[in-house]
Structure formats: structure tokens, C-alpha cells
Amino acid sequence: MFPTTLAHIADSEESDRAAALKQVTASRPKRFHTPGPTEPPQPSSLSHPPSYPKSFSHTPATKLRGTSSGAYLTASRVETKRTILLSGDVPRMIPEIPVDFYFERVLPPLAPELTNHVDTIINILERKGVVDADRDRWAAFPVDPAEATEHEGVVFQGLTTIFNAVVAVAKEIESTLEQTFCFLVTGPVPVYSDRGAGDSQPDGFNKIFTNSPVKEDGSVALSALEEQQSTGSRSVKNHSVYDIVNLQQFKLQEDTTRTNDDVAKLCYDMTQILALDPCRRFTFGTTIENCTTRLWFLSHATLLKTAPFDFMKDRRRLVRLFLSLAFASPAKMGWDPTITFDHMGNDDRRQYKIEVDGKYYTTLRVLSDFAADSPLGRATRVWKVTNDEGNIHVLKDVWLDHSRMEEHKIREAILEDVQRLKNGQRYAEVLKNYMLTPIAYGKVRVGDLADDTTEVMLGGYNVVEDDMVLLITPTPAANKNTTGSTGMRTPADRDSLQSHPLSDVDECSPNLSSQTPRRKILSAPDKGGKNKLTHHRRYHYRVVFKEYATTIYEERGLDNIFRAIAEVVKALWILHKAGWVHRDISGGNIYWYEERRTGLIGDFEYARASTDRDRHDVRTGTPFFMAAETLAQKYHFKARQLLNIAEMEDTPDFGSTWADNQPVLNATYPTPSLEDVVPFYHNPLHDLESVWWIIIYVLFFNDDVESLSPAPEARQHQMDRLFSGQLESMPRFSFLTDPEGLSEARQYLSSTFGVALDLLENFRACLETAYDKSERTYPQKIDETHFFIHNSLLKAVLQNPAYMERLSTVKLVPVKATALKRKGDTEQYGRSIKRTRIS
């Protein structure tokens, strides 16, 4: 174990802490001002520029994820989920590309043997009667679907007839061709995954041959055409999410309502493919209303569609589409060759073998995959894995924005900056002991190329230059008052969490109508960023960490949680000394490592050098744990001072009157010239406040096994207020600045939490004092000399060894579990919560 205060970490020979760290190079720009004598000093400059490229930037956090909201998680109707998905996770406007570009850049290329034979195949199809040349239509469709009397599942079976005929003729021309995918029209039936029968119900899809063994190299050994004969099977388990691609939705008639319904269903179906199957990099889709056909593509960076074409008249395009899909390799259809199904675990969940940097790891269980529920984003998945020697590690798989540095490189850059401090080598070794250790890492490669959502998946095609069209076409009959169920909000809820009708016009662009012309991205409505193209070029990255530790969410010993927090504060002191801020402190990246009885900190993806002020203009982090100022993107404490509210010195002195008067910060006060206002940026106090919110979260979302909450209704009310998951800062700011808030919490939290609440009050008082002092010089500057309160916080957390002994008697149990002990309370309390960060 390391010492309990940061003073012991410093060189014992240094008697003057204020002079312990001096400028290394006077010409370098300052990261923080020289600290006062009461706290560990901060170097005023570094000897080299920040260790990352100029393009190292953020992915703007314009909204929270609807797929992680309480409304989505608790929705019982798939229609509600689709609505939330479209209103919260996909852009209102998407690129519409020419069909020929889709064939050239998006679809799998034609087999070389067929490159010059498309017209030949069409001629043969005419001779065979598959094409009714006299009536200028496919023979399988004697009338247009709009004129048919059967159900759409029966009418569109004609497509399977055409597909099979195209494949047969292609094999006549080149007998060595090996078919890899068949085509099925099943009607709306759910598809199966290891989570059971899902609520995704495509009308049709292409399917890789099931019952086919997987070769050692991860490729699929395909069987004969026997699977193709199962057309129309409605057995759920006959159609697995792991075998299907190019999901399809059909409508007999073509109108705005039906088209919107197809779009909503297809977006949801394609999202389910990427969410449920970790082997999937991207997927395709098709919608047909009457004869009007559109082709779709979804990756973790892009959702796009083609301009429409008539599959009945434009037969060459349909034949070209079927040829591409029938003979494509799994990798070209979106499967990842570096992750393969290995076996079914004891919990009947699929386990995988994953390649990282030439080494192979077998998954044991999922630690986190909720981020993959959203179609556009980093889709972070974390597994507990074992290597060939049987050692246990943790593997993280993520799609990073192209301009972002790999996590292991960020870690290296931080340590490099730490080592440039006086006694930096010692500090670096200490910091390493508080950080997860990467042992394998690298960009995921598909063949000879590093996987990339633009260069590899789209062949370098820049969708940003395409016309933008509304994903959902507005209709005059839209009911703008429709709302969905809310349930307990989670860190990914939007501000309103309204369930927008599928036909609703974006409230940010009220003048749009179904007659609105297609727009270029630069002229697309952009109020609030809701209609901006959310295409961010991404690359696939994996890292394996040596330590398998317990997150704060899962740790049951309250004493261990406080010990872990103390170690994290020490790590943050060193990080902040080196001029960096973490910006994503949360319960999911703070760990208790039992093997060494210490706390660890991970997930440095959002860490930034503090001098990178121009890169701090967006929210980053997990909403449950974000500092109130970070949520608001402005300084709160100076506003309070400008309103002549009593300033706080060493001891907070605000009563409940202030806490309850939330609108006070919206009052008008003199506004200085913009030239004089220092811009808002994430600073060390915001990292430290996130640490405080972690412990608050632990106490609110858990009970002591031996002492349940005496007033769960009051607790629930405060939980809803503080952990709404919305980008709303005032309730949290009020609680943070109210010295009575934690005292009142004793009335509804477990009685044995009193010790923890005492420690948290000391923590809160130190934090509030530092905020007030650092912002007294605002708007001209922020006084950074008051940022380094880490020693005071450590004393506040570990001020009395007897406290740790008393905390060791507290064993936590989630509110969800204790709700089962409360008759009738199961629905109201303790719903399963997913944590998510803004990304």
C-alpha cells in the first residue's frame, strides 16, 4: 500500500514544497500557476509540447443516447423502442448517395468471373422466362405489388425466385463459383440470439448457410444449397441474428406513412445486428414500397441510403445487387475475421476468440457492452478474457474517432509528461501502480488494412459531400404532443426524453416539409446540432489490460471503495501536476484491485493536456458523475458571487434557502466584454468533483445489507433529482453547495452510512472552497493556484483510521435487490441502470 497522503509521495529530502518543482524551460507556456504553500506544487511549465498531434480532437457530444435511457430499457412495445432510437440515436438528416456509387464503393465487389457478364445473365434470364420482356417486368410479379391481393410476405416471395434464378445462371456461366449467401423472404418473424427471441422482425434477409463449421482461420465453410430451400420458415431459431445480413422491409403500397414505417423498422433491425453480434463491423439493408427500392448501409460511423430505383424496371441493378450478395465473402458482408465464435458458455451465452496484436484471447463473460446498443458511436465492449496460458485479463474493443489517439498512446504521453517533472521518474512509477497496464493493443486489421469506416468500408468515399435528406419524412397529421414512457432515467437520457412521432418534423427546423428540397450538409438545419451529419470517421481498436479488477459499481465493501477513491485522488494529483485532466472519472473506470489491495484508474480516452483549451468546448464524461459546471459548460461559483450571495471561506455557510433557489443563477448581472472573458475549460476541480459524485452514487444506489433505507420514497425522489441522466446542472449544483444536503440524506439512506456521509461532507467543503477561491478572479481569469486540494481531500477521506474500521462493517447490496424485500416496491425502486458516457 502507498502512503495515505500525497506529502509522503514527494521526495523526503525536499523541505520546501513550494519550491519542489521549478520551471524546466522558462519559454514553455504555463499549464497551471504555482500552487500555494498548503498543497502539493504544480510545475509551471513543461519542456516539450503536448504529446499528441494537432488533429487530436473531440467527437462532439451533441446529445445523449436514447438506447440507454430508462424509456428505452423499460419499453414493452417495440414501436416505442423504434421511436426512441430515431429521436435519440440517429441523425434527422442522412446522406443520400447515387445507386451506382453504392455499387462501386459500398457493396461487395462482383466476383472477377462475373465482372463482364451482368448483361449476359439478364439475356439468359429473358430466354428462360424469368423476365417477361413483353410486359417489361419480372415474371414472378405478374402485377405490381400495389395491385396484388395477397399479403406482402407472399407477394415479395417473387424476389427469392429471381434471386435463385440469377444465382443458377451465374453458376452456368462459371461453375467454380461458390455461393456464400442465400436470400429468404419470411414475413415479419423475430430473429434469435443468445439473449432469446428478439423484437427485430425483418420481412426478409440474406443469410449465410447455417450448420456450417467454422474453419481454424475463422472463415466459414459453406454447405450446399439445402438451406436455401427453407424459404418461408417461421421457426424463430431457424433464423439467428449471427447468420443474417441485408435486412429488408417491404410494403405493398407506397406513401409517406408506409415509407416512414419501413425506415423505422429497418433502422431498428440493423441496429440490433450491430448491437447483438460483436463479430459485425457493418451491415446492409433494403426497403421496398411497391416497386420503389432503396439500399441502406449502417456502420458505427455512418447511416446512409441510396436514391430510389424501380426494381421492376431497372432489372440490371437488381441482378447486379443479387450477384454481389450471393457470392461475397463474410468479411465483405460485414463480419470481422479477427473475432470468431468459440463456444457456448455455462450461462448459454456465446464466447469468442479474439485476436489482439497477433495474440489470441478467449472471452469468459461480458463486463460491459451497453454502448453497442446505439448504432452510431464507439460501441465499446469489454470482456473478461483468458489467454492461452490461462491468465485472466480484460479486453476492450472500441471504434475510435479517426482523430483520436489510441488509449495506450495517451497513457504513454501522460507518463512522458510526468517524467519531465522534478522527481518525475518516481512520480511515474507511482502513477503506473494506479493505472491499468496494457499488455496487448493495436488497430484491428481486415486483411492487410487497418479497419476504417471510410477508407475500408466505403472505399474512401466521402459521404459528407453528398446531398442530405430527412430520414423520416414529415406528414401533416403528426401529433406533436406524443410522449413515451420515461421510467427511471439513466445517464444517457436526453433533456426531454420525449418520444417523437415518426412523422414529426424536427422542432429545430419547423419550416421543413415533405416538399423541402434536398440540402447539402452546410445548409442543413443545424440548431442544436440535431440535423448535423453525425458521420465521424472511425477506426477499430483493441487493448488488453493485465489487471482484472472490480469496478466501483460491483465492489460490495464500502471501506474498499473509499480506499480505492483515495488512491485515485493520489493518481489524479500526479496527473494534474503533469498538466493533464482525465475528464471521464466515473464508477465504471475506477476499480478496486483485490490482488494488490489498491485502487486503479482506467479509461484515459478523453484525457487532455490542460493547455489544449481550444479542445475543451464540448461535454465529455458520464452524466451521472460529471461536475455541475461541466454539464452547464460555464462557471457557476462566480455567478453566485456576482449576485452578492455570501462568499465561502474555509467553512461553507450556505443554507437550504440558497439550495432551493435554483433559478438564482439565471438572474441578470453585468456582462463583461467577450474579450475579457476566459473561456470555460475542464480543470482539475471538475475531475475531483466527479470523484465525489461517485461516492454519492454508491450510497444512493445501494443499501447496507443489515440496514435498509428507512424512507425509500424520499431516496427515490432525490435519486431522480440528482441522477436524472439529463444534461442539467442546477439540481446537482444545489446539492453540491448545500451543507444540509448530506445531513438530510441521513433520513433516507441506510443508518450505517453516517460515517461515509461525514467524510463526504468534509470532501464537499474542501471542494466548494476551492471552487469559490479559484473563480474570484473570473471573468478575467481562473485562479489555478487553488486547484490542488488533493491533500486536503485525502485528509477528509482518511482523517481517522477508526472511520475505515467502521466502514469495513458495511456490506453493500444494490437497491434493485433490496427492493425485492419490500412488498410491492419492485416496480418503483431499483430498476437496472446502465451507465453510459457521452461520446
Side-chain angles (χ1 to χ4, degrees):
M1 292 290 292
F2 285 91
T4 58
T5 65
L6 291 168
H8 293 98
I9 299 179
D11 190 340
S12 60
E13 296 181 358
E14 295 186 45
S15 58
D16 185 359
R17 289 190 302 152
L21 296 169
K22 301 178 180 179
Q23 281 190 333
V24 180
T25 304
S27 61
R28 295 301 306 152
K30 300 177 91 174
R31 289 201 170 187
F32 294 126
H33 295 300
T34 304
T38 59
E39 293 301 332
Q42 161 64 28
S44 57
S45 65
L46 296 179
S47 60
H48 70 108
S51 306
Y52 49 84
K54 293 291 186 183
S55 62
F56 193 32
S57 62
H58 302 294
T59 301
T62 56
K63 61 182 178 182
L64 298 173
R65 303 294 185 187
T67 48
S68 294
S69 68
Y72 186 88
L73 297 173
T74 60
S76 59
R77 300 176 67 245
V78 67
E79 293 82 1
T80 303
K81 290 187 175 183
R82 293 173 189 149
T83 303
I84 295 173
L85 174 73
L86 265 68
S87 64
D89 288 60
V90 296
R92 294 294 179 94
M93 300 187 76
I94 65 170
E96 180 177 275
I97 71 173
V99 180
D100 291 341
F101 283 8
Y102 187 90
F103 286 154
E104 294 171 8
R105 302 296 184 93
V106 181
L107 269 184
L110 280 177
E113 300 90 336
L114 298 175
T115 301
N116 299 317
H117 292 293
V118 176
D119 291 328
T120 303
I121 292 173
I122 293 176
N123 292 334
I124 297 175
L125 291 174
E126 290 180 355
R127 293 201 302 269
K128 290 178 173 287
V130 178
V131 175
D132 186 341
D134 293 338
R135 301 181 60 202
D136 191 26
R137 63 189 315 107
W138 294 105
F141 291 87
V143 297
D144 287 351
E147 301 173 15
T149 58
E150 297 90 348
H151 186 271
E152 60 196 24
V154 176
V155 173
F156 284 100
Q157 283 288 345
L159 291 174
T160 64
T161 302
I162 300 169
F163 183 92
N164 295 342
V166 169
V167 171
V169 173
K171 287 188 173 184
E172 290 178 10
I173 294 175
E174 181 52 64
S175 60
T176 61
L177 286 172
E178 184 178 24
Q179 184 182 355
T180 52
F181 289 87
C182 61
F183 176 65
L184 306 176
V185 174
T186 61
V189 297
V191 294
Y192 178 78
S193 73
D194 60 5
R195 301 182 190 180
D199 47 16
S200 175
Q201 299 188 21
D203 293 328
F205 42 76
N206 288 92
K207 182 176 180 180
I208 201 166
F209 293 119
T210 57
N211 306 320
S212 301
V214 178
K215 298 179 181 179
E216 292 183 0
D217 63 358
S219 62
V220 180
L222 302 174
S223 66
L225 295 179
E226 54 185 326
E227 178 64 25
Q228 196 166 2
Q229 307 308 316
S230 66
T231 300
S233 172
R234 300 183 66 83
S235 172
V236 170
K237 290 194 177 183
N238 276 358
H239 306 306
S240 165
V241 71
Y242 310 107
D243 301 326
I244 62 177
V245 70
N246 190 36
L247 308 185
Q248 312 209 5
Q249 289 292 340
F250 306 129
K251 288 290 188 296
L252 298 178
Q253 305 289 333
E254 180 181 7
D255 57 45
T256 299
T257 300
R258 290 179 172 87
T259 298
N260 286 345
D261 186 63
D262 271 356
V263 170
K265 289 178 177 177
L266 184 67
C267 287
Y268 183 80
D269 293 345
M270 291 194 298
T271 294
Q272 290 293 290
I273 291 290
L274 297 187
L276 296 173
D277 188 359
C279 298
R280 228 54 92 79
R281 302 153 50 228
F282 58 84
T283 191
F284 303 107
T286 303
T287 56
I288 303 178
E289 294 85 36
N290 189 18
C291 298
T292 301
T293 306
R294 294 174 179 86
L295 307 178
W296 296 73
F297 172 84
L298 175 66
S299 72
H300 292 296
T302 306
L303 172 64
L304 61 81
K305 67 175 179 178
T306 67
F309 69 94
D310 187 327
F311 84 87
M312 195 74 70
K313 306 293 184 182
D314 198 346
R315 292 183 288 274
R316 192 179 195 283
R317 280 180 169 158
L318 188 66
V319 170
R320 168 71 171 80
L321 173 67
F322 285 168
L323 290 173
S324 290
L325 298 175
F327 302 104
S329 68
K332 293 293 185 181
M333 294 287 273
W335 273 264
D336 185 344
T338 66
I339 174 171
T340 56
F341 169 70
D342 190 76
H343 67 280
M344 294 299 293
N346 295 332
D347 57 354
D348 291 328
R349 298 293 293 271
R350 292 165 66 94
Q351 305 301 329
Y352 300 90
K353 186 175 288 292
I354 306 175
E355 179 185 357
V356 184
D357 194 22
K359 306 177 183 67
Y360 290 89
Y361 300 85
T362 303
T363 64
L364 299 175
R365 73 181 181 95
V366 174
L367 300 180
S368 175
D369 65 355
F370 58 86
D373 290 345
S374 186
L376 300 172
R378 298 181 308 155
T380 304
R381 301 178 193 268
V382 183
W383 286 278
K384 178 182 178 182
V385 299
T386 180
N387 62 7
D388 293 338
E389 290 76 36
N391 299 319
I392 304 299
H393 302 296
V394 171
L395 188 154
K396 181 178 180 180
D397 180 284
V398 61
W399 290 87
L400 293 175
D401 189 86
H402 189 263
S403 62
R404 294 174 90 73
M405 191 187 296
E406 299 99 310
E407 187 171 352
H408 71 277
K409 290 184 178 179
I410 296 175
R411 183 180 184 274
E412 293 169 358
I414 292 172
L415 292 173
E416 183 181 341
D417 281 356
V418 170
Q419 290 173 1
R420 284 176 167 78
L421 306 175
K422 185 176 181 180
N423 297 310
Q425 188 63 42
R426 172 176 171 78
Y427 290 142
E429 291 303 317
V430 172
L431 183 57
K432 286 180 183 178
N433 281 281
Y434 296 142
M435 302 170 80
L436 296 175
T437 308
I439 58 175
Y441 41 77
K443 295 180 179 180
V444 177
R445 304 188 71 83
V446 177
D448 297 329
L449 301 174
D451 206 1
D452 183 290
T453 58
T454 296
E455 291 301 319
V456 175
M457 297 181 187
L458 300 179
Y461 184 65
N462 185 8
V463 298
V464 176
E465 297 176 356
D466 276 293
D467 287 345
M468 301 294 292
V469 297
L470 288 167
L471 178 65
I472 295 296
T473 304
T475 59
N479 177 11
K480 295 184 180 294
N481 295 320
T482 302
T483 58
S485 66
T486 55
M488 180 184 288
R489 289 189 175 96
T490 71
D493 284 348
R494 294 176 58 123
D495 289 333
S496 66
L497 249 189
Q498 281 193 335
S499 186
H500 297 274
L502 296 183
S503 57
D504 194 9
V505 181
D506 190 341
E507 66 274 20
C508 294
S509 52
N511 295 324
L512 291 178
S513 68
S514 58
Q515 286 75 40
T516 300
R518 297 189 302 177
R519 301 166 181 259
K520 291 288 187 180
I521 178 63
L522 294 179
S523 62
D526 189 31
K527 182 179 179 181
K530 291 188 177 182
N531 285 329
K532 183 177 287 186
L533 174 63
T534 57
H535 172 78
H536 298 286
R537 179 180 171 186
R538 290 190 168 94
Y539 66 91
H540 200 177
Y541 171 75
R542 291 187 186 132
V543 58
V544 178
F545 294 107
K546 176 182 178 181
E547 300 87 359
Y548 170 58
T550 304
T551 68
I552 294 302
Y553 293 135
E554 299 169 311
E555 176 57 37
R556 301 295 87 189
L558 189 56
D559 57 336
N560 289 339
I561 289 175
F562 271 85
R563 290 189 178 96
I565 291 297
E567 311 294 10
V568 166
V569 171
K570 298 173 191 175
L572 288 175
W573 178 69
I574 299 174
L575 184 78
H576 295 157
K577 281 183 62 176
W580 286 73
V581 282
H582 189 284
R583 304 195 313 137
D584 188 25
I585 299 296
S586 76
N589 53 41
I590 304 302
Y591 307 88
W592 174 250
Y593 189 35
E594 182 65 29
E595 184 175 320
R596 294 208 319 259
R597 299 286 297 171
T598 188
L600 297 173
I601 185 171
D603 289 359
F604 287 88
E605 296 173 29
Y606 289 100
R608 291 290 181 273
S610 60
T611 50
D612 190 22
R613 299 288 167 80
D614 62 326
R615 305 296 186 184
H616 292 249
D617 58 347
V618 294
R619 301 180 184 96
T620 57
T622 307
F624 272 25
F625 312 107
M626 289 169 67
E629 289 189 341
T630 306
L631 282 169
Q633 289 289 281
K634 61 183 178 182
Y635 298 106
H636 278 333
F637 291 85
K638 180 61 176 183
R640 167 169 75 175
Q641 296 165 18
L642 291 174
L643 289 168
N644 296 319
I645 297 175
E647 290 191 15
M648 177 178 58
E649 297 297 336
D650 293 332
T651 304
D653 190 22
F654 289 110
S656 58
T657 301
W658 155 246
D660 295 335
N661 189 20
Q662 297 181 20
V664 71
L665 287 188
N666 295 324
T668 302
Y669 53 86
T671 302
S673 169
L674 291 178
E675 296 180 357
D676 299 329
V677 177
V678 61
F680 179 83
Y681 63 93
H682 189 108
N683 65 51
L685 295 180
H686 301 133
D687 278 351
L688 295 172
E689 183 183 333
S690 292
V691 172
W692 187 77
W693 284 112
I694 289 174
I695 310 177
I696 295 293
Y697 175 92
V698 167
L699 299 184
F700 272 84
F701 282 81
N702 291 278
D703 277 319
D704 183 354
V705 174
E706 303 299 330
S707 175
L708 302 185
S709 166
E713 297 88 352
R715 176 181 61 187
Q716 181 70 32
H717 174 74
Q718 191 70 298
M719 286 167 65
D720 290 341
R721 186 167 173 264
L722 298 179
F723 299 102
S724 66
Q726 301 176 11
L727 294 180
E728 182 180 353
S729 65
M730 287 314 303
R732 294 165 69 84
F733 179 71
S734 298
F735 190 77
L736 174 67
T737 56
D738 180 9
E740 301 300 323
L742 292 175
S743 297
E744 294 173 356
R746 297 172 187 270
Q747 302 174 17
Y748 50 78
L749 296 181
S750 293
S751 60
T752 52
F753 288 175
V755 174
L757 292 172
D758 288 341
L759 299 177
L760 280 175
E761 173 55 29
N762 294 337
F763 195 135
R764 186 202 66 77
C766 291
L767 194 60
E768 186 178 16
T769 300
Y771 270 127
D772 269 329
K773 290 181 176 180
S774 67
E775 294 182 20
R776 283 175 180 171
T777 53
Y778 182 81
Q780 286 73 27
K781 69 174 183 176
I782 298 298
D783 189 349
E784 297 167 343
T785 62
H786 299 290
F787 286 170
F788 289 86
I789 61 172
H790 306 66
N791 261 339
S792 296
L793 294 182
L794 284 171
K795 293 174 183 177
V797 174
L798 298 174
Q799 61 181 349
N800 189 331
Y803 277 17
M804 287 297 111
E805 182 176 349
R806 291 171 63 184
L807 288 174
S808 66
T809 64
V810 178
K811 298 304 176 185
L812 300 174
V813 59
V815 168
K816 179 181 179 180
T818 60
L820 299 177
K821 295 184 178 182
R822 306 176 188 277
K823 185 177 180 180
D825 286 356
T826 305
E827 289 297 321
Q828 186 173 1
Y829 306 112
R831 291 173 180 164
S832 177
I833 298 296
K834 285 188 175 183
R835 279 78 50 175
T836 187
R837 63 171 56 85
I838 306 175
S839 59

